[in-house]
Amino acid sequence: MATQFQETENSPYPGSHLSFTDLTDRLTSLSSVPSLAAVYELVERTKIGDDEVQPYLGFKEGNYSRHRVMKNEFVEMLVLCWKPGQRTPIHDHNGSHGAVFVHEGILWETTFEYKTETGLGYQSHRELRTGGLTGSEVPDIHQLGNPDVSGRDLVTIHIYAPPLGVLKTYKLGSATIDLYTPAEPDFV
């Protein structure tokens, strides 16, 4: 797992704070795939108001909902809305890295390790709350979700570089790897 990126004196935007719109504009104007550290830096500089996220909120039963904020050939940003108990399949990003910011609620993240001989095994688990930031590099394998016991909705902001394509999915204790194409966002 990637570690949290810390601001440095050499930051391209030292001391500046971005709005959610500024973040979207910076991502839209990229001319290459940003590193995970660069994405972290942008997210850490961003102050996101509830009013800015409001247009991307929408929950559904059964599965979390995905709302696209922006997408180009280098990066994609989504707002995901989760009811208690909703979670992703165990997956990797198959060539993309990603950052996840917890806008509101509690996120459980479980990481796994894959070995050809033994298949998929548990690695670690952690909880992130409002304001938490996590990320995954290639070839990290993880599962994200809103715990049943949270009793509240979860809103997360995801930035993938390059945009997600077909993901690899896994099952605990199995060496089988399946392919999974995320559904198109519920709202674009």
Side-chain angles (χ1 to χ4, degrees), residues 135-157:
S136 60
E137 283 285 2
V138 176
D140 292 343
I141 301 169
H142 70 168
Q143 182 177 49
L144 303 175
N146 184 358
D148 289 321
V149 295
S150 74
R152 59 189 283 201
D153 293 338
L154 168 66
V155 177
T156 54
I157 298 168

Side-chain angles (χ1 to χ4, degrees), residues 43-143:
V43 171
E44 287 177 339
R45 295 183 169 290
T46 304
K47 304 294 183 208
I48 303 172
D50 291 340
D51 58 325
E52 295 177 289
V53 176
Q54 183 64 40
Y56 304 100
L57 297 183
F59 296 85
K60 63 183 185 179
E61 296 302 318
N63 200 14
Y64 58 92
S65 61
R66 304 170 75 241
H67 309 259
R68 182 175 295 137
V69 178
M70 62 74 57
K71 180 179 179 180
N72 62 29
E73 64 185 296
F74 308 113
V75 67
E76 173 179 28
M77 182 164 60
L78 301 165
V79 173
L80 274 59
C81 299
W82 319 67
K83 291 287 199 188
Q86 294 177 339
R87 63 179 182 239
T88 66
I90 300 171
H91 67 283
D92 69 22
H93 295 153
N94 198 17
S96 296
H97 52 264
V100 178
F101 174 75
V102 180
H103 178 70
E104 181 181 315
I106 300 169
L107 174 73
W108 277 1
E109 177 182 37
T110 307
T111 59
F112 302 88
E113 182 175 48
Y114 182 84
K115 295 182 180 174
T116 308
E117 321 76 56
T118 56
L120 189 71
Y122 171 84
Q123 188 173 36
S124 68
H125 178 84
R126 68 180 176 156
E127 178 178 290
L128 291 105
R129 294 182 175 259
T130 301
L133 178 62
T134 188
S136 60
E137 283 285 2
V138 176
D140 292 343
I141 301 169
H142 70 168
Q143 182 177 49

